[in-house]
Amino acid sequence: MAHDVDLRLLRAFTAVADRGGFSAAAEALHITQPALSRRIAELESALGLRLFHRTSRRVELTQNGQDLLTRCRELLTHGETVRERARALAEGTAGILRVGCAPMIMESVVAPFIARYRERCPGVDLQLSEQGGEHAQEMVLRGQLHAAVASPTVLRLQRRLLFPWRLLAVFPDGHPLARGRTVDIVKLVNEPVLTLPAGFGTRALFDAGCETIGIRPLIRMEAAAAQTLVAAAQAGYGVAVVPSVLIMNKRNVKALPILASGRSLGRWLAIAWNAQRAQPSYLTEFVDLLAGASRRDYPGREYRFAPAIQPPRVAGQRHGRSI
């Protein structure tokens, strides 16, 4: 039956067809001619077809043999691909890497990095999942993702710090508060504020900053897409509060870092993984390459003139290479 056929028999078949005879094919396969003849006979029996016309001088493919030859070559190619994949999996140079992050992080941090990682690790199937930062970290904890790129909130995860991001106020051109290089949050108390809804890290940071100094901002608009907030600010509808990781069109607007009592409002971005679970070796490459790329360039780098954002320090966590 066809399901009894193995690749060893198909190699014998294609070798005889390619070389036009059993003697040359046996030599190419490094087996004896009788052994090769037995393989062809076994294949013909399994398929229930005659594959060759044999005469005293030559061997020719039958019509059925000609039809099957192309398909046999395809099967051999696929078989070799499977073997190569299995070898790469065993060596840790291939497999699936699942990484989660929020949409803005996906666009400005991870997406520009994909081509470089795929060039370095071509055998790895990088699967990106668009998830909110805290939810992505919970998925890492449960083993549904290998890593998350987010501001650290789940303390049980190991992490590698990448870069700081800042809270920005985006003003329409000509706004009186847009004349400086930074803006204190207290000056936004009488401004119509355009912000992300509750549940976003940016909104939580803004609300906490307002609460700390005892002000209640006027929230004119909430939108889950930060680009929408910027567009509304461009139209003069209010002051958009967005993170510095956002890739934005700065036409007709000016973005300033928000301070509270002289301190920058912001957090650090990190890549986090679960050290309690066995991790594929190519995750180390991903972490190292992403950290290296972030040191050279990252969204919001132009606001480094503002007061520094101190990295988080949590007992039991390391910030360096540690996978």
Side-chain angles (χ1 to χ4, degrees), residues 242-273:
V242 298
S244 59
V245 294
L246 175 66
I247 298 176
M248 72 175 84
N249 177 3
K250 294 183 179 179
R251 182 175 55 84
N252 299 328
V253 295
K254 185 174 181 181
L256 303 180
I258 300 176
L259 309 184
S261 301
R263 297 182 178 181
S264 293
L265 288 178
R267 292 176 178 164
W268 275 73
L269 193 72
I271 179 167
W273 64 94

PDB file of all heavy atoms in Angstrom, residues 242-273:
ATOM      1  N   VAL A 242       0.001  61.844  25.689  1.00  0.00           N
ATOM      2  CA  VAL A 242       0.385  60.589  25.035  1.00  0.00           C
ATOM      3  C   VAL A 242       1.786  60.191  25.494  1.00  0.00           C
ATOM      4  O   VAL A 242       2.541  61.026  25.996  1.00  0.00           O
ATOM      5  CB  VAL A 242       0.358  60.731  23.490  1.00  0.00           C
ATOM      6  CG1 VAL A 242      -1.042  61.067  22.995  1.00  0.00           C
ATOM      7  CG2 VAL A 242       1.360  61.786  23.031  1.00  0.00           C
ATOM      8  N   PRO A 243       2.165  58.922  25.299  1.00  0.00           N
ATOM      9  CA  PRO A 243       3.516  58.493  25.665  1.00  0.00           C
ATOM     10  C   PRO A 243       4.513  58.809  24.552  1.00  0.00           C
ATOM     11  O   PRO A 243       4.145  58.906  23.377  1.00  0.00           O
ATOM     12  CB  PRO A 243       3.352  56.978  25.836  1.00  0.00           C
ATOM     13  CG  PRO A 243       2.256  56.615  24.890  1.00  0.00           C
ATOM     14  CD  PRO A 243       1.314  57.787  24.886  1.00  0.00           C
ATOM     15  N   SER A 244       5.768  58.944  24.936  1.00  0.00           N
ATOM     16  CA  SER A 244       6.805  59.298  23.960  1.00  0.00           C
ATOM     17  C   SER A 244       7.132  58.160  23.001  1.00  0.00           C
ATOM     18  O   SER A 244       7.885  58.358  22.047  1.00  0.00           O
ATOM     19  CB  SER A 244       8.081  59.739  24.678  1.00  0.00           C
ATOM     20  OG  SER A 244       8.574  58.706  25.521  1.00  0.00           O
ATOM     21  N   VAL A 245       6.578  56.960  23.231  1.00  0.00           N
ATOM     22  CA  VAL A 245       6.799  55.855  22.295  1.00  0.00           C
ATOM     23  C   VAL A 245       5.905  55.970  21.065  1.00  0.00           C
ATOM     24  O   VAL A 245       6.079  55.230  20.095  1.00  0.00           O
ATOM     25  CB  VAL A 245       6.564  54.471  22.963  1.00  0.00           C
ATOM     26  CG1 VAL A 245       7.598  54.203  24.031  1.00  0.00           C
ATOM     27  CG2 VAL A 245       5.149  54.384  23.529  1.00  0.00           C
ATOM     28  N   LEU A 246       4.966  56.902  21.102  1.00  0.00           N
ATOM     29  CA  LEU A 246       4.050  57.057  19.976  1.00  0.00           C
ATOM     30  C   LEU A 246       4.763  57.680  18.777  1.00  0.00           C
ATOM     31  O   LEU A 246       5.449  58.699  18.906  1.00  0.00           O
ATOM     32  CB  LEU A 246       2.874  57.953  20.387  1.00  0.00           C
ATOM     33  CG  LEU A 246       1.875  58.323  19.279  1.00  0.00           C
ATOM     34  CD1 LEU A 246       1.127  57.092  18.805  1.00  0.00           C
ATOM     35  CD2 LEU A 246       0.921  59.404  19.759  1.00  0.00           C
ATOM     36  N   ILE A 247       4.601  57.073  17.609  1.00  0.00           N
ATOM     37  CA  ILE A 247       5.065  57.689  16.365  1.00  0.00           C
ATOM     38  C   ILE A 247       3.971  58.640  15.911  1.00  0.00           C
ATOM     39  O   ILE A 247       2.872  58.208  15.564  1.00  0.00           O
ATOM     40  CB  ILE A 247       5.338  56.628  15.292  1.00  0.00           C
ATOM     41  CG1 ILE A 247       6.457  55.681  15.749  1.00  0.00           C
ATOM     42  CG2 ILE A 247       5.716  57.284  13.966  1.00  0.00           C
ATOM     43  CD1 ILE A 247       6.724  54.542  14.787  1.00  0.00           C
ATOM     44  N   MET A 248       4.261  59.935  15.944  1.00  0.00           N
ATOM     45  CA  MET A 248       3.200  60.900  15.661  1.00  0.00           C
ATOM     46  C   MET A 248       3.594  61.877  14.552  1.00  0.00           C
ATOM     47  O   MET A 248       4.773  62.146  14.330  1.00  0.00           O
ATOM     48  CB  MET A 248       2.841  61.678  16.929  1.00  0.00           C
ATOM     49  CG  MET A 248       3.879  62.691  17.377  1.00  0.00           C
ATOM     50  SD  MET A 248       3.326  63.675  18.800  1.00  0.00           S
ATOM     51  CE  MET A 248       3.772  62.561  20.141  1.00  0.00           C
ATOM     52  N   ASN A 249       2.578  62.383  13.899  1.00  0.00           N
ATOM     53  CA  ASN A 249       2.741  63.465  12.934  1.00  0.00           C
ATOM     54  C   ASN A 249       2.737  64.774  13.713  1.00  0.00           C
ATOM     55  O   ASN A 249       1.721  65.168  14.295  1.00  0.00           O
ATOM     56  CB  ASN A 249       1.595  63.429  11.925  1.00  0.00           C
ATOM     57  CG  ASN A 249       1.657  64.569  10.928  1.00  0.00           C
ATOM     58  OD1 ASN A 249       2.589  65.379  10.930  1.00  0.00           O
ATOM     59  ND2 ASN A 249       0.664  64.637  10.058  1.00  0.00           N
ATOM     60  N   LYS A 250       3.879  65.455  13.747  1.00  0.00           N
ATOM     61  CA  LYS A 250       4.011  66.661  14.562  1.00  0.00           C
ATOM     62  C   LYS A 250       3.673  67.938  13.797  1.00  0.00           C
ATOM     63  O   LYS A 250       4.030  69.033  14.235  1.00  0.00           O
ATOM     64  CB  LYS A 250       5.418  66.737  15.148  1.00  0.00           C
ATOM     65  CG  LYS A 250       5.712  65.617  16.144  1.00  0.00           C
ATOM     66  CD  LYS A 250       7.079  65.761  16.772  1.00  0.00           C
ATOM     67  CE  LYS A 250       7.332  64.640  17.769  1.00  0.00           C
ATOM     68  NZ  LYS A 250       8.677  64.750  18.389  1.00  0.00           N
ATOM     69  N   ARG A 251       2.996  67.782  12.689  1.00  0.00           N
ATOM     70  CA  ARG A 251       2.568  68.967  11.943  1.00  0.00           C
ATOM     71  C   ARG A 251       1.522  69.737  12.747  1.00  0.00           C
ATOM     72  O   ARG A 251       0.542  69.174  13.221  1.00  0.00           O
ATOM     73  CB  ARG A 251       1.979  68.537  10.589  1.00  0.00           C
ATOM     74  CG  ARG A 251       1.537  69.685   9.692  1.00  0.00           C
ATOM     75  CD  ARG A 251       1.076  69.149   8.335  1.00  0.00           C
ATOM     76  NE  ARG A 251       0.029  68.150   8.480  1.00  0.00           N
ATOM     77  CZ  ARG A 251      -1.265  68.437   8.615  1.00  0.00           C
ATOM     78  NH1 ARG A 251      -1.658  69.692   8.621  1.00  0.00           N
ATOM     79  NH2 ARG A 251      -2.154  67.466   8.732  1.00  0.00           N
ATOM     80  N   ASN A 252       1.746  71.023  12.932  1.00  0.00           N
ATOM     81  CA  ASN A 252       0.822  71.927  13.624  1.00  0.00           C
ATOM     82  C   ASN A 252       0.676  71.631  15.113  1.00  0.00           C
ATOM     83  O   ASN A 252      -0.304  72.058  15.741  1.00  0.00           O
ATOM     84  CB  ASN A 252      -0.568  71.926  12.972  1.00  0.00           C
ATOM     85  CG  ASN A 252      -0.524  72.387  11.526  1.00  0.00           C
ATOM     86  OD1 ASN A 252       0.303  73.227  11.167  1.00  0.00           O
ATOM     87  ND2 ASN A 252      -1.400  71.836  10.707  1.00  0.00           N
ATOM     88  N   VAL A 253       1.612  70.891  15.679  1.00  0.00           N
ATOM     89  CA  VAL A 253       1.582  70.645  17.124  1.00  0.00           C
ATOM     90  C   VAL A 253       3.002  70.724  17.682  1.00  0.00           C
ATOM     91  O   VAL A 253       3.982  70.664  16.937  1.00  0.00           O
ATOM     92  CB  VAL A 253       0.978  69.265  17.485  1.00  0.00           C
ATOM     93  CG1 VAL A 253      -0.480  69.175  17.111  1.00  0.00           C
ATOM     94  CG2 VAL A 253       1.782  68.139  16.852  1.00  0.00           C
ATOM     95  N   LYS A 254       3.089  70.830  19.002  1.00  0.00           N
ATOM     96  CA  LYS A 254       4.367  70.769  19.690  1.00  0.00           C
ATOM     97  C   LYS A 254       4.207  69.863  20.898  1.00  0.00           C
ATOM     98  O   LYS A 254       3.269  70.034  21.694  1.00  0.00           O
ATOM     99  CB  LYS A 254       4.834  72.152  20.122  1.00  0.00           C
ATOM    100  CG  LYS A 254       6.234  72.136  20.741  1.00  0.00           C
ATOM    101  CD  LYS A 254       6.740  73.534  21.029  1.00  0.00           C
ATOM    102  CE  LYS A 254       8.146  73.495  21.614  1.00  0.00           C
ATOM    103  NZ  LYS A 254       8.650  74.863  21.932  1.00  0.00           N
ATOM    104  N   ALA A 255       5.119  68.899  21.039  1.00  0.00           N
ATOM    105  CA  ALA A 255       5.055  67.933  22.137  1.00  0.00           C
ATOM    106  C   ALA A 255       6.113  68.280  23.184  1.00  0.00           C
ATOM    107  O   ALA A 255       7.292  68.444  22.856  1.00  0.00           O
ATOM    108  CB  ALA A 255       5.277  66.519  21.612  1.00  0.00           C
ATOM    109  N   LEU A 256       5.686  68.377  24.449  1.00  0.00           N
ATOM    110  CA  LEU A 256       6.591  68.710  25.549  1.00  0.00           C
ATOM    111  C   LEU A 256       6.500  67.647  26.643  1.00  0.00           C
ATOM    112  O   LEU A 256       5.396  67.177  26.969  1.00  0.00           O
ATOM    113  CB  LEU A 256       6.211  70.065  26.161  1.00  0.00           C
ATOM    114  CG  LEU A 256       6.162  71.281  25.246  1.00  0.00           C
ATOM    115  CD1 LEU A 256       5.775  72.511  26.057  1.00  0.00           C
ATOM    116  CD2 LEU A 256       7.477  71.486  24.531  1.00  0.00           C
ATOM    117  N   PRO A 257       7.631  67.258  27.247  1.00  0.00           N
ATOM    118  CA  PRO A 257       7.581  66.353  28.396  1.00  0.00           C
ATOM    119  C   PRO A 257       6.835  66.994  29.565  1.00  0.00           C
ATOM    120  O   PRO A 257       6.995  68.189  29.843  1.00  0.00           O
ATOM    121  CB  PRO A 257       9.063  66.151  28.742  1.00  0.00           C
ATOM    122  CG  PRO A 257       9.809  66.480  27.487  1.00  0.00           C
ATOM    123  CD  PRO A 257       9.015  67.562  26.836  1.00  0.00           C
ATOM    124  N   ILE A 258       6.001  66.201  30.226  1.00  0.00           N
ATOM    125  CA  ILE A 258       5.245  66.674  31.388  1.00  0.00           C
ATOM    126  C   ILE A 258       6.049  66.417  32.658  1.00  0.00           C
ATOM    127  O   ILE A 258       6.552  65.300  32.873  1.00  0.00           O
ATOM    128  CB  ILE A 258       3.878  65.967  31.473  1.00  0.00           C
ATOM    129  CG1 ILE A 258       3.046  66.250  30.217  1.00  0.00           C
ATOM    130  CG2 ILE A 258       3.119  66.407  32.725  1.00  0.00           C
ATOM    131  CD1 ILE A 258       1.724  65.503  30.180  1.00  0.00           C
ATOM    132  N   LEU A 259       6.173  67.443  33.491  1.00  0.00           N
ATOM    133  CA  LEU A 259       6.845  67.325  34.782  1.00  0.00           C
ATOM    134  C   LEU A 259       5.832  67.464  35.905  1.00  0.00           C
ATOM    135  O   LEU A 259       4.779  68.083  35.739  1.00  0.00           O
ATOM    136  CB  LEU A 259       7.923  68.402  34.938  1.00  0.00           C
ATOM    137  CG  LEU A 259       8.957  68.564  33.823  1.00  0.00           C
ATOM    138  CD1 LEU A 259       9.992  69.606  34.229  1.00  0.00           C
ATOM    139  CD2 LEU A 259       9.605  67.245  33.474  1.00  0.00           C
ATOM    140  N   ALA A 260       6.184  66.894  37.052  1.00  0.00           N
ATOM    141  CA  ALA A 260       5.384  67.071  38.273  1.00  0.00           C
ATOM    142  C   ALA A 260       6.365  67.393  39.392  1.00  0.00           C
ATOM    143  O   ALA A 260       7.222  66.566  39.722  1.00  0.00           O
ATOM    144  CB  ALA A 260       4.596  65.811  38.592  1.00  0.00           C
ATOM    145  N   SER A 261       6.280  68.611  39.923  1.00  0.00           N
ATOM    146  CA  SER A 261       7.213  69.073  40.957  1.00  0.00           C
ATOM    147  C   SER A 261       8.661  68.937  40.500  1.00  0.00           C
ATOM    148  O   SER A 261       9.543  68.518  41.258  1.00  0.00           O
ATOM    149  CB  SER A 261       6.995  68.293  42.257  1.00  0.00           C
ATOM    150  OG  SER A 261       5.659  68.448  42.723  1.00  0.00           O
ATOM    151  N   GLY A 262       8.901  69.232  39.228  1.00  0.00           N
ATOM    152  CA  GLY A 262      10.252  69.209  38.685  1.00  0.00           C
ATOM    153  C   GLY A 262      10.738  67.851  38.236  1.00  0.00           C
ATOM    154  O   GLY A 262      11.859  67.732  37.728  1.00  0.00           O
ATOM    155  N   ARG A 263       9.927  66.808  38.396  1.00  0.00           N
ATOM    156  CA  ARG A 263      10.324  65.451  37.998  1.00  0.00           C
ATOM    157  C   ARG A 263       9.559  65.014  36.746  1.00  0.00           C
ATOM    158  O   ARG A 263       8.375  65.328  36.591  1.00  0.00           O
ATOM    159  CB  ARG A 263      10.055  64.454  39.127  1.00  0.00           C
ATOM    160  CG  ARG A 263      10.875  64.727  40.380  1.00  0.00           C
ATOM    161  CD  ARG A 263      10.584  63.663  41.427  1.00  0.00           C
ATOM    162  NE  ARG A 263      11.385  63.872  42.625  1.00  0.00           N
ATOM    163  CZ  ARG A 263      11.353  63.069  43.702  1.00  0.00           C
ATOM    164  NH1 ARG A 263      10.524  62.020  43.710  1.00  0.00           N
ATOM    165  NH2 ARG A 263      12.114  63.326  44.742  1.00  0.00           N
ATOM    166  N   SER A 264      10.251  64.289  35.887  1.00  0.00           N
ATOM    167  CA  SER A 264       9.601  63.765  34.685  1.00  0.00           C
ATOM    168  C   SER A 264       8.592  62.691  35.059  1.00  0.00           C
ATOM    169  O   SER A 264       8.840  61.876  35.958  1.00  0.00           O
ATOM    170  CB  SER A 264      10.634  63.174  33.729  1.00  0.00           C
ATOM    171  OG  SER A 264      11.476  64.175  33.202  1.00  0.00           O
ATOM    172  N   LEU A 265       7.459  62.703  34.380  1.00  0.00           N
ATOM    173  CA  LEU A 265       6.494  61.617  34.521  1.00  0.00           C
ATOM    174  C   LEU A 265       6.782  60.589  33.434  1.00  0.00           C
ATOM    175  O   LEU A 265       6.724  60.915  32.239  1.00  0.00           O
ATOM    176  CB  LEU A 265       5.063  62.149  34.388  1.00  0.00           C
ATOM    177  CG  LEU A 265       4.534  62.979  35.556  1.00  0.00           C
ATOM    178  CD1 LEU A 265       3.126  63.470  35.254  1.00  0.00           C
ATOM    179  CD2 LEU A 265       4.546  62.164  36.850  1.00  0.00           C
ATOM    180  N   GLY A 266       7.083  59.403  33.848  1.00  0.00           N
ATOM    181  CA  GLY A 266       7.406  58.369  32.866  1.00  0.00           C
ATOM    182  C   GLY A 266       7.777  57.070  33.542  1.00  0.00           C
ATOM    183  O   GLY A 266       7.809  56.973  34.777  1.00  0.00           O
ATOM    184  N   ARG A 267       8.067  56.086  32.746  1.00  0.00           N
ATOM    185  CA  ARG A 267       8.465  54.764  33.233  1.00  0.00           C
ATOM    186  C   ARG A 267       9.521  54.199  32.294  1.00  0.00           C
ATOM    187  O   ARG A 267       9.804  54.770  31.248  1.00  0.00           O
ATOM    188  CB  ARG A 267       7.262  53.811  33.298  1.00  0.00           C
ATOM    189  CG  ARG A 267       6.241  54.182  34.351  1.00  0.00           C
ATOM    190  CD  ARG A 267       5.040  53.269  34.286  1.00  0.00           C
ATOM    191  NE  ARG A 267       4.056  53.573  35.318  1.00  0.00           N
ATOM    192  CZ  ARG A 267       2.808  53.152  35.318  1.00  0.00           C
ATOM    193  NH1 ARG A 267       2.383  52.395  34.325  1.00  0.00           N
ATOM    194  NH2 ARG A 267       1.983  53.468  36.284  1.00  0.00           N
ATOM    195  N   TRP A 268      10.041  53.071  32.665  1.00  0.00           N
ATOM    196  CA  TRP A 268      10.983  52.358  31.802  1.00  0.00           C
ATOM    197  C   TRP A 268      10.247  51.260  31.056  1.00  0.00           C
ATOM    198  O   TRP A 268       9.335  50.627  31.594  1.00  0.00           O
ATOM    199  CB  TRP A 268      12.123  51.751  32.613  1.00  0.00           C
ATOM    200  CG  TRP A 268      13.230  52.730  32.861  1.00  0.00           C
ATOM    201  CD1 TRP A 268      13.211  53.786  33.719  1.00  0.00           C
ATOM    202  CD2 TRP A 268      14.508  52.741  32.217  1.00  0.00           C
ATOM    203  NE1 TRP A 268      14.400  54.454  33.659  1.00  0.00           N
ATOM    204  CE2 TRP A 268      15.218  53.841  32.754  1.00  0.00           C
ATOM    205  CE3 TRP A 268      15.123  51.931  31.263  1.00  0.00           C
ATOM    206  CZ2 TRP A 268      16.519  54.152  32.346  1.00  0.00           C
ATOM    207  CZ3 TRP A 268      16.421  52.234  30.867  1.00  0.00           C
ATOM    208  CH2 TRP A 268      17.094  53.345  31.397  1.00  0.00           C
ATOM    209  N   LEU A 269      10.664  51.042  29.824  1.00  0.00           N
ATOM    210  CA  LEU A 269      10.175  49.905  29.052  1.00  0.00           C
ATOM    211  C   LEU A 269      11.169  48.763  29.237  1.00  0.00           C
ATOM    212  O   LEU A 269      12.383  48.981  29.340  1.00  0.00           O
ATOM    213  CB  LEU A 269      10.066  50.265  27.574  1.00  0.00           C
ATOM    214  CG  LEU A 269       9.267  49.279  26.703  1.00  0.00           C
ATOM    215  CD1 LEU A 269       7.785  49.394  27.030  1.00  0.00           C
ATOM    216  CD2 LEU A 269       9.504  49.554  25.223  1.00  0.00           C
ATOM    217  N   ALA A 270      10.661  47.547  29.264  1.00  0.00           N
ATOM    218  CA  ALA A 270      11.522  46.385  29.471  1.00  0.00           C
ATOM    219  C   ALA A 270      11.000  45.214  28.650  1.00  0.00           C
ATOM    220  O   ALA A 270       9.861  45.234  28.181  1.00  0.00           O
ATOM    221  CB  ALA A 270      11.567  46.002  30.955  1.00  0.00           C
ATOM    222  N   ILE A 271      11.831  44.216  28.486  1.00  0.00           N
ATOM    223  CA  ILE A 271      11.368  42.937  27.955  1.00  0.00           C
ATOM    224  C   ILE A 271      11.414  41.953  29.103  1.00  0.00           C
ATOM    225  O   ILE A 271      12.418  41.860  29.825  1.00  0.00           O
ATOM    226  CB  ILE A 271      12.197  42.458  26.746  1.00  0.00           C
ATOM    227  CG1 ILE A 271      11.658  41.101  26.258  1.00  0.00           C
ATOM    228  CG2 ILE A 271      13.685  42.402  27.043  1.00  0.00           C
ATOM    229  CD1 ILE A 271      12.193  40.697  24.903  1.00  0.00           C
ATOM    230  N   ALA A 272      10.303  41.262  29.328  1.00  0.00           N
ATOM    231  CA  ALA A 272      10.164  40.384  30.486  1.00  0.00           C
ATOM    232  C   ALA A 272       9.890  38.956  30.036  1.00  0.00           C
ATOM    233  O   ALA A 272       9.218  38.722  29.032  1.00  0.00           O
ATOM    234  CB  ALA A 272       9.033  40.876  31.377  1.00  0.00           C
ATOM    235  N   TRP A 273      10.407  37.993  30.792  1.00  0.00           N
ATOM    236  CA  TRP A 273      10.186  36.573  30.516  1.00  0.00           C
ATOM    237  C   TRP A 273      10.095  35.831  31.847  1.00  0.00           C
ATOM    238  O   TRP A 273      10.428  36.373  32.902  1.00  0.00           O
ATOM    239  CB  TRP A 273      11.313  36.001  29.652  1.00  0.00           C
ATOM    240  CG  TRP A 273      12.661  36.021  30.312  1.00  0.00           C
ATOM    241  CD1 TRP A 273      13.256  35.029  31.030  1.00  0.00           C
ATOM    242  CD2 TRP A 273      13.583  37.127  30.345  1.00  0.00           C
ATOM    243  NE1 TRP A 273      14.479  35.434  31.506  1.00  0.00           N
ATOM    244  CE2 TRP A 273      14.702  36.712  31.088  1.00  0.00           C
ATOM    245  CE3 TRP A 273      13.563  38.415  29.812  1.00  0.00           C
ATOM    246  CZ2 TRP A 273      15.802  37.553  31.323  1.00  0.00           C
ATOM    247  CZ3 TRP A 273      14.649  39.251  30.040  1.00  0.00           C
ATOM    248  CH2 TRP A 273      15.750  38.815  30.786  1.00  0.00           C
TER     249      TRP A 273
END
